[in-house]
Amino acid sequence: MASPELKPHQLISEADSLFVDENFTSAVEKYSCALRCLSESLSSEKGDQSSPSSSLSEDSSQGVLLMKYRALSHRSASFLKLKRYEEALKDATAALDLKPFEEEEDEGGCVRRRLITDCFEQEIFLKRLGMARYFTGDVMTAEDAFLRAFELFKNSERMGDDNAVYQDWIKKCRASLNRADESNDVHMKELDKELSKIKENKTSAAAKTMLIKKQHPTMPKYQYYQSDNFVTISILEKKVQEEDLNVTFSLDKLTVILKKSGVDFTVICGTLFDAVDVSKCKVKIKDEKVLIKLKKKEPHNWHELFGSGAAKEKKDDDKKDEKNNNSGVVPAKTPAVTKTTTAAPSPTTNKPYASHRDWNAIERELKKQEESEKPEGDEALNKLFQDIYGKADEDTRRAMIKSFQTSGGTVLSTNWKDVKEKDYEKERVAPKGMEWKSWEGQRLPQKDDD
């Protein structure tokens, strides 16, 4: 028996849940309760029509009719599952009498809005109506309902097994009426052709997209991120071969050329923000992308990937090292990747800031000072609890959480064996002169403080 506090839409929702759970008998009971409530609402509306202040507005009246239609339609589906076909037809006919898909004028000449505008909901109802009519012997009108539902399905361009389902029902109806003649077969073939055209159009569109990508390769994209010591560049291209990749490093320049579908793309070519250590720069080819790792000469943050390059002093020092070592080219790890130390003149400043202070070093020093400071008072106590929790096992953590939360913050225990069976909500103790209460002001179970 439904609770009197539940409203019609809540009863319908409960019934829908029971239907999904395949508890069709209980679903029928809930739908019936909802329909009784809705009938009472409509009766009270008719009784108050003479009063200037009617209990239900036009919008609310439409809402009641819509809920009544859905309750009847869904109860009809439940009766079909229970093979109670006469009752299913009765509900479907009653729902249809509400004229859910039509607009009509009332006695005052006003146009009443349609209850149902969603095509999918119309399609499902017509399918149920057709099944109820078919199983009660009204095959001719059942065929009409299935045809209307099939047309809505076709117009929706929705793919699925419903195509075959509707065709099977229509064939059953025509076989029962001995109307499986040539004209009907032609009609069904035309519907099949239209549905197959929709599928072919979607498939051909996808194939054309793939062909265009192969014929007209696009420029590979890249992105980068950095730390104090490294800049890592990701070339977002899958399954790159070593022979198709050419990466050239120098003190403050980078060039990346990638061959794609026979076309050479210069993905990166320019002067870097600052100098790099060429001997420690690396290239790694992965299945989904190419990683290029640049080792910064000096640890600091680059404002962007490209800039005005290394300072003149750095380039002079690099030239001296180059002459002393007699090494013009550093061998690459892969044949297609080369590393050179060719310096190019480019006037620039050494640091990205106006001053010459190393702000990153200052920041690191401040962090060390913060870590060395010892907390005091409540802060020290909280840190102690955090350390205990962080290093504890699962049972200890579970005990700490349960004891602290259920006791209202008055107990913190690490022994799960004690906490597991204990009910702190009933045994909690309030401070002297106080007591635990709910938000509504009701006194909660608690242990009196003697």
Side-chain angles (χ1 to χ4, degrees), residues 4 13 52 70 85 109 121 123 136 152 193 209 213 221 229 258 277 296 311 348 351 360 370 379 399 403 412 438 440:
S13 297
R70 285 180 174 155
Y85 301 124
E121 192 169 356
E123 177 194 331
T136 53
L152 289 169
K193 284 181 181 178
T209 304
K213 286 183 178 179
K221 296 181 180 179
N229 297 309
L258 178 61
D277 188 343
K296 298 177 181 177
T348 181
K351 296 285 182 181
N360 291 293
E370 289 175 0
E379 189 179 350
S403 62
L412 181 63
S438 67
E440 290 76 20

Short mmCIF file of all heavy atoms in Angstrom, two decimals, residues 4 13 52 70 85 109 121 123 136 152 193 209 213 221 229 258 277 296 311 348 351 360 370 379 399 403 412 438 440:
data_model
loop_
_atom_site.label_atom_id
_atom_site.label_comp_id
_atom_site.label_asym_id
_atom_site.label_seq_id
_atom_site.Cartn_x
_atom_site.Cartn_y
_atom_site.Cartn_z
N PRO A 4 0.44 7.69 2.06
CA PRO A 4 -0.39 8.83 1.64
C PRO A 4 0.44 10.09 1.40
O PRO A 4 -0.02 11.02 0.76
CB PRO A 4 -1.36 9.00 2.82
CG PRO A 4 -0.69 8.34 3.98
CD PRO A 4 0.11 7.24 3.42
N SER A 13 7.43 7.47 -10.38
CA SER A 13 8.87 7.19 -10.38
C SER A 13 9.17 5.86 -9.70
O SER A 13 9.99 5.07 -10.18
CB SER A 13 9.63 8.32 -9.67
OG SER A 13 9.47 9.53 -10.35
N PRO A 52 -14.19 31.64 -8.63
CA PRO A 52 -13.24 32.53 -9.33
C PRO A 52 -11.80 32.17 -9.06
O PRO A 52 -10.93 32.45 -9.85
CB PRO A 52 -13.57 33.93 -8.78
CG PRO A 52 -14.25 33.67 -7.47
CD PRO A 52 -14.98 32.38 -7.63
N ARG A 70 1.04 9.26 -18.87
CA ARG A 70 2.23 8.44 -18.67
C ARG A 70 1.95 7.26 -17.76
O ARG A 70 2.46 6.16 -17.98
CB ARG A 70 3.37 9.30 -18.12
CG ARG A 70 3.97 10.19 -19.20
CD ARG A 70 5.09 11.05 -18.72
NE ARG A 70 5.70 11.78 -19.84
CZ ARG A 70 6.36 12.92 -19.72
NH1 ARG A 70 6.52 13.46 -18.53
NH2 ARG A 70 6.87 13.52 -20.78
N TYR A 85 -3.54 -8.91 -21.56
CA TYR A 85 -3.65 -8.10 -22.76
C TYR A 85 -4.90 -7.23 -22.79
O TYR A 85 -4.87 -6.11 -23.31
CB TYR A 85 -3.59 -8.99 -24.00
CG TYR A 85 -2.32 -9.81 -24.09
CD1 TYR A 85 -2.36 -11.19 -24.19
CD2 TYR A 85 -1.08 -9.18 -24.05
CE1 TYR A 85 -1.18 -11.94 -24.27
CE2 TYR A 85 0.10 -9.92 -24.13
CZ TYR A 85 0.04 -11.30 -24.22
OH TYR A 85 1.19 -12.04 -24.29
N GLY A 109 -13.11 27.96 -27.13
CA GLY A 109 -12.43 28.29 -28.38
C GLY A 109 -10.93 28.37 -28.25
O GLY A 109 -10.25 28.74 -29.21
N GLU A 121 8.86 9.32 -27.45
CA GLU A 121 7.79 8.89 -26.54
C GLU A 121 6.54 8.50 -27.33
O GLU A 121 5.86 7.53 -26.99
CB GLU A 121 7.48 10.02 -25.55
CG GLU A 121 6.61 9.57 -24.39
CD GLU A 121 6.54 10.61 -23.28
OE1 GLU A 121 7.22 11.64 -23.38
OE2 GLU A 121 5.79 10.36 -22.32
N GLU A 123 6.59 7.25 -30.35
CA GLU A 123 6.92 5.97 -30.98
C GLU A 123 6.72 4.80 -30.02
O GLU A 123 6.11 3.78 -30.37
CB GLU A 123 8.37 6.01 -31.47
CG GLU A 123 8.86 4.73 -32.08
CD GLU A 123 10.38 4.72 -32.23
OE1 GLU A 123 10.97 5.81 -32.41
OE2 GLU A 123 10.97 3.63 -32.17
N THR A 136 -5.09 -8.82 -28.63
CA THR A 136 -6.53 -8.92 -28.35
C THR A 136 -7.34 -9.17 -29.63
O THR A 136 -8.56 -9.14 -29.59
CB THR A 136 -7.03 -7.64 -27.67
OG1 THR A 136 -6.64 -6.49 -28.45
CG2 THR A 136 -6.47 -7.52 -26.27
N LEU A 152 7.97 7.04 -37.38
CA LEU A 152 8.68 7.89 -36.41
C LEU A 152 10.10 7.40 -36.20
O LEU A 152 11.04 8.19 -36.09
CB LEU A 152 7.93 7.91 -35.08
CG LEU A 152 6.60 8.68 -35.06
CD1 LEU A 152 5.84 8.39 -33.78
CD2 LEU A 152 6.84 10.18 -35.20
N LYS A 193 15.42 0.23 -48.01
CA LYS A 193 16.41 0.97 -48.81
C LYS A 193 16.73 2.33 -48.17
O LYS A 193 17.88 2.75 -48.13
CB LYS A 193 15.86 1.19 -50.23
CG LYS A 193 15.92 -0.05 -51.11
CD LYS A 193 15.37 0.26 -52.49
CE LYS A 193 15.39 -0.99 -53.37
NZ LYS A 193 14.83 -0.72 -54.72
N THR A 209 36.66 11.23 -44.85
CA THR A 209 37.49 11.96 -43.90
C THR A 209 38.87 11.34 -43.79
O THR A 209 39.90 12.03 -43.79
CB THR A 209 36.82 11.99 -42.52
OG1 THR A 209 35.51 12.56 -42.65
CG2 THR A 209 37.62 12.82 -41.54
N LYS A 213 42.64 12.95 -45.03
CA LYS A 213 43.79 13.04 -44.14
C LYS A 213 45.04 12.43 -44.77
O LYS A 213 46.15 12.92 -44.59
CB LYS A 213 43.47 12.35 -42.81
CG LYS A 213 42.52 13.14 -41.93
CD LYS A 213 42.30 12.44 -40.60
CE LYS A 213 41.39 13.25 -39.69
NZ LYS A 213 41.17 12.56 -38.40
N LYS A 221 51.53 18.79 -34.59
CA LYS A 221 51.46 19.75 -33.48
C LYS A 221 52.46 19.37 -32.40
O LYS A 221 52.91 18.24 -32.32
CB LYS A 221 50.05 19.77 -32.91
CG LYS A 221 49.00 20.26 -33.89
CD LYS A 221 47.62 20.28 -33.25
CE LYS A 221 46.57 20.77 -34.24
NZ LYS A 221 45.21 20.78 -33.62
N ASN A 229 65.54 22.72 -14.61
CA ASN A 229 66.72 22.24 -15.34
C ASN A 229 66.44 21.76 -16.76
O ASN A 229 67.37 21.68 -17.57
CB ASN A 229 67.38 21.09 -14.56
CG ASN A 229 67.89 21.54 -13.21
OD1 ASN A 229 68.61 22.53 -13.10
ND2 ASN A 229 67.50 20.84 -12.15
N LEU A 258 60.20 16.77 -39.76
CA LEU A 258 59.54 15.47 -39.72
C LEU A 258 58.89 15.18 -41.07
O LEU A 258 58.15 16.02 -41.60
CB LEU A 258 58.47 15.47 -38.62
CG LEU A 258 57.63 14.20 -38.46
CD1 LEU A 258 58.51 13.01 -38.11
CD2 LEU A 258 56.56 14.39 -37.40
N ASP A 277 72.59 22.83 -22.84
CA ASP A 277 73.77 21.98 -22.84
C ASP A 277 73.56 20.90 -23.90
O ASP A 277 72.84 19.92 -23.67
CB ASP A 277 73.97 21.37 -21.46
CG ASP A 277 75.30 20.63 -21.34
OD1 ASP A 277 75.89 20.33 -22.39
OD2 ASP A 277 75.71 20.34 -20.20
N LYS A 296 68.89 22.75 -19.74
CA LYS A 296 69.22 24.18 -19.64
C LYS A 296 70.65 24.35 -19.14
O LYS A 296 71.11 23.61 -18.25
CB LYS A 296 68.25 24.87 -18.67
CG LYS A 296 66.79 24.83 -19.11
CD LYS A 296 65.91 25.48 -18.05
CE LYS A 296 64.45 25.42 -18.44
NZ LYS A 296 63.56 25.99 -17.41
N ALA A 311 73.38 34.71 -24.06
CA ALA A 311 74.12 35.96 -23.97
C ALA A 311 75.43 35.85 -24.74
O ALA A 311 75.95 34.75 -24.97
CB ALA A 311 74.38 36.30 -22.51
N THR A 348 71.58 39.89 -26.56
CA THR A 348 70.52 39.60 -25.60
C THR A 348 71.01 39.89 -24.19
O THR A 348 72.18 40.14 -23.97
CB THR A 348 70.11 38.11 -25.70
OG1 THR A 348 69.06 37.90 -24.77
CG2 THR A 348 71.26 37.19 -25.36
N LYS A 351 69.63 37.42 -18.19
CA LYS A 351 68.52 36.96 -17.36
C LYS A 351 67.21 37.56 -17.85
O LYS A 351 67.19 38.63 -18.46
CB LYS A 351 68.74 37.38 -15.90
CG LYS A 351 69.96 36.74 -15.26
CD LYS A 351 69.69 35.29 -14.95
CE LYS A 351 70.88 34.66 -14.26
NZ LYS A 351 70.65 33.25 -13.98
N ASN A 360 65.02 32.06 -8.33
CA ASN A 360 64.72 30.65 -8.07
C ASN A 360 65.51 30.14 -6.87
O ASN A 360 64.99 29.38 -6.05
CB ASN A 360 65.04 29.81 -9.30
CG ASN A 360 64.10 30.10 -10.45
OD1 ASN A 360 62.92 29.81 -10.38
ND2 ASN A 360 64.63 30.69 -11.52
N GLU A 370 61.22 27.46 5.72
CA GLU A 370 59.89 27.07 6.18
C GLU A 370 59.89 25.64 6.71
O GLU A 370 59.23 25.33 7.71
CB GLU A 370 58.89 27.20 5.03
CG GLU A 370 58.57 28.64 4.66
CD GLU A 370 57.67 28.73 3.45
OE1 GLU A 370 57.29 27.66 2.91
OE2 GLU A 370 57.33 29.84 3.03
N GLU A 379 49.14 24.02 16.12
CA GLU A 379 49.75 23.66 14.85
C GLU A 379 50.66 22.44 15.01
O GLU A 379 50.67 21.52 14.17
CB GLU A 379 50.54 24.85 14.29
CG GLU A 379 51.03 24.62 12.87
CD GLU A 379 51.78 25.82 12.33
OE1 GLU A 379 51.74 26.89 12.99
OE2 GLU A 379 52.41 25.68 11.26
N ALA A 399 40.28 3.51 12.44
CA ALA A 399 39.94 3.79 13.84
C ALA A 399 39.97 5.28 14.12
O ALA A 399 39.08 5.81 14.82
CB ALA A 399 40.94 3.05 14.75
N SER A 403 36.41 7.13 15.22
CA SER A 403 36.34 7.65 16.58
C SER A 403 36.20 9.17 16.59
O SER A 403 35.41 9.72 17.37
CB SER A 403 37.58 7.23 17.38
OG SER A 403 38.77 7.76 16.78
N LEU A 412 39.87 10.51 19.87
CA LEU A 412 40.72 10.12 18.74
C LEU A 412 41.49 8.88 19.18
O LEU A 412 42.41 8.95 20.00
CB LEU A 412 41.68 11.25 18.35
CG LEU A 412 42.60 10.94 17.17
CD1 LEU A 412 41.78 10.70 15.91
CD2 LEU A 412 43.59 12.07 16.94
N SER A 438 20.41 17.95 17.91
CA SER A 438 20.39 17.97 16.45
C SER A 438 20.09 19.39 15.96
O SER A 438 19.80 20.29 16.76
CB SER A 438 19.32 17.00 15.93
OG SER A 438 18.03 17.47 16.28
N GLU A 440 17.50 20.30 14.58
CA GLU A 440 16.10 20.62 14.87
C GLU A 440 15.87 20.90 16.34
O GLU A 440 14.74 21.16 16.77
CB GLU A 440 15.19 19.46 14.43
CG GLU A 440 15.08 19.29 12.92
CD GLU A 440 16.31 18.64 12.33
OE1 GLU A 440 17.06 17.99 13.10
OE2 GLU A 440 16.53 18.79 11.11
#
